[in-house]
Amino acid sequence: ATAATLLSSSPSYSSSSSRKPFSKKKRPLDPLERLQHSTKYRGLGFDPNAPPDLRAPGGGVDAERKFKRNKLPRQLKYTLRAHQGHVLAMVFDISGEYLLSAGEDRMVRLWSVQDGTLVKKFPIVHNSAITDILLSRDRKTFITSDRDGRVLMWKTLKGSSVRTLYGPNSQVTSLAWSEDESILVCGTVEGCTYIWDLSSKSHSPIQVLSHNSYAVSSVLVNEPFIGTASADGTLRIFDVQNARVLERSFGRTSIGSLSLSKDRRMFLVGCLDHTLRLIDRKTGEELMCYRGHQNQGFYLKSHLPWDNSLVLSPSEDGRAYLWNLVEGTIAASLKHGDKPVLCAASHPKNRVLATAGADGTIKLWE
């Protein structure tokens, strides 16, 4: 099914396509029921539908909660004096052995996760702060963007940029690429979304999406659709195959981040009113709202780490927060420092987190 087919069946989304009502033969699940059905508990050691004595080692709900709590990262392992100025972007490699970081000092650094050793320092090529970074699965290539609109492709081993992608005329806020890493997408403050085909030799975008003059704060790619979040408070789903656009408005609240759950059933939308909203991908309906952190001035990237049972977000109060996905309660709060935490990255395999912020440091938690 195409993205338009999946998304056009609810009044929560607006679209030019026809809408199909819920079937009258079977009562639709309410948001919490759908959330419980869609959440996967693998890796947590319990089944929420099983009898209490079978839910977790030791039995009972208390044992279940204790088991979940003990699995969360809470201990500070080390602190890295990583960058001068804000750390704006950070990503683990697919093995979890290395961490790539960048920020206001225009530097890209590669770190060993095991002991925090600086493995490589890449030359300064950008003329302004680096705003986002992507690392390929084979670790041979990474992509960076900056506040001047430059998008560069790097070869990790050579330690130099090998390709410049043209198009943006303003600050690039977010980068994302397709699962096979052949399609690259970026959002800009001018309100445009640029799309490149990395499998070709062209340096120019194959398409530019433009629907308003508000900044595109976050982008994601999940073929056959491209998702964008905007400062005008609108989530837009571009169905590229069928040339359709679906919209979900959050009112006057600016959206700072957009991510997709690993099972591809839910969007996590970070709003600049101190809330995170979990949205059903098929209907556009809000399933849960998470509160407790502070976010009104920065585009803070939140996401669903590990097994979709938790929600992770940096916060402007100097902390990073973890929420229980289904309950909506805060599971952990990690104190990074007194200045805003601007990014938080989750280890691809283990319950390990990295936080970084306006103080220029990176902290690893386990």
Side-chain angles (χ1 to χ4, degrees):
T2 65
T5 304
L6 294 174
L7 292 169
S8 63
S9 60
S10 166
S12 295
Y13 284 103
S14 60
S15 172
S16 58
S17 60
S18 60
R19 299 190 181 103
K20 298 179 181 179
F22 283 116
S23 172
K24 297 181 179 180
K25 295 181 181 180
K26 187 175 181 181
R27 179 184 69 84
L29 299 176
D30 63 38
L32 183 56
E33 288 175 322
R34 258 202 320 277
L35 177 55
Q36 291 171 335
H37 277 264
S38 64
T39 302
K40 295 185 179 179
Y41 289 85
R42 64 182 183 276
L44 290 179
F46 69 92
D47 179 357
N49 299 316
D53 60 335
L54 298 179
R55 287 184 182 176
V61 176
D62 290 340
E64 169 190 315
R65 291 174 179 169
K66 183 178 180 181
F67 183 70
K68 291 170 65 178
R69 178 182 175 85
N70 290 341
K71 295 289 287 185
L72 297 179
R74 297 177 182 275
Q75 185 68 36
L76 176 62
K77 185 176 181 180
Y78 56 71
T79 299
L80 303 175
R81 305 298 172 184
H83 293 269
Q84 294 181 3
H86 296 179
V87 181
L88 300 174
M90 188 169 54
V91 62
F92 283 98
D93 79 305
I94 194 171
S95 70
E97 297 176 4
Y98 299 97
L99 181 71
L100 205 59
S101 67
E104 278 190 331
D105 61 3
R106 302 175 290 149
M107 294 287 296
V108 178
R109 290 178 168 90
L110 181 66
W111 308 90
S112 167
V113 173
Q114 177 63 32
D115 55 11
T117 302
L118 178 61
V119 177
K120 195 177 188 65
K121 184 168 64 174
F122 296 87
I124 296 178
V125 178
H126 288 278
N127 296 320
S128 61
I130 298 174
T131 57
D132 206 356
I133 192 165
L134 297 175
L135 179 61
S136 64
R137 282 189 292 272
D138 61 10
R139 299 186 295 202
K140 295 180 179 180
T141 304
F142 65 90
I143 310 286
T144 57
S145 61
D146 67 22
R147 287 178 178 169
D148 289 337
R150 296 187 72 191
V151 179
L152 302 179
M153 177 181 289
W154 301 67
K155 290 300 181 182
T156 309
L157 292 179
K158 290 180 63 176
S160 60
S161 62
V162 295
R163 185 175 178 183
T164 300
L165 300 174
Y166 300 110
N169 297 312
S170 64
Q171 176 179 328
V172 176
T173 57
S174 178
L175 295 171
W177 52 17
S178 58
E179 188 173 357
D180 64 1
E181 301 173 356
S182 64
I183 299 296
L184 177 68
V185 176
C186 86
T188 64
V189 297
E190 64 185 321
C192 294
T193 301
Y194 293 83
I195 307 171
W196 293 273
D197 181 2
L198 298 183
S199 63
S200 72
K201 295 182 179 180
S202 174
H203 295 251
S204 301
I206 57 174
Q207 192 170 0
V208 180
L209 307 175
S210 179
H211 277 261
N212 60 64
S213 58
Y214 290 88
V216 176
S217 59
S218 188
V219 295
L220 63 82
V221 184
N222 186 31
E223 297 178 273
F225 71 80
I226 292 172
T228 67
S230 178
D232 69 349
T234 303
L235 164 63
R236 293 180 174 84
I237 307 300
F238 295 87
D239 180 2
V240 180
Q241 288 183 345
N242 297 292
R244 294 179 179 178
V245 182
L246 304 172
E247 297 184 347
R248 206 287 194 184
S249 176
F250 290 82
R252 298 180 179 179
T253 302
S254 295
I255 303 175
S257 74
L258 174 65
S259 61
L260 185 67
S261 62
K262 291 180 177 60
D263 59 12
R264 302 184 180 184
R265 297 182 181 183
M266 299 170 286
F267 291 118
L268 182 64
V269 178
C271 298
L272 271 66
D273 61 354
H274 315 295
T275 64
L276 300 171
R277 318 285 181 88
L278 194 68
I279 306 298
D280 188 294
R281 176 188 154 186
K282 291 184 179 180
T283 67
E285 189 171 0
E286 184 175 311
L287 303 175
M288 186 65 71
C289 182
Y290 307 94
R291 303 176 186 273
H293 69 307
Q294 294 181 17
N295 184 200
Q296 63 179 357
F298 294 91
Y299 294 154
L300 303 180
K301 291 188 177 181
S302 55
H303 67 281
L304 303 174
W306 306 309
D307 52 15
N308 276 358
S309 65
L310 297 166
V311 174
L312 171 64
S313 177
S315 176
E316 293 169 16
D317 63 359
R319 295 178 177 270
Y321 288 85
L322 284 164
W323 289 264
N324 295 305
L325 182 85
V326 175
E327 295 90 344
T329 56
I330 294 176
S333 171
L334 306 177
K335 178 66 173 177
H336 179 95
D338 297 326
K339 295 184 179 181
V341 176
L342 302 178
C343 47
S346 55
H347 193 281
K349 297 180 179 179
N350 304 323
R351 292 293 180 98
V352 173
L353 290 178
T355 58
D359 62 358
T361 67
I362 295 175
K363 296 189 177 184
L364 196 81
W365 308 81
E366 59 182 11

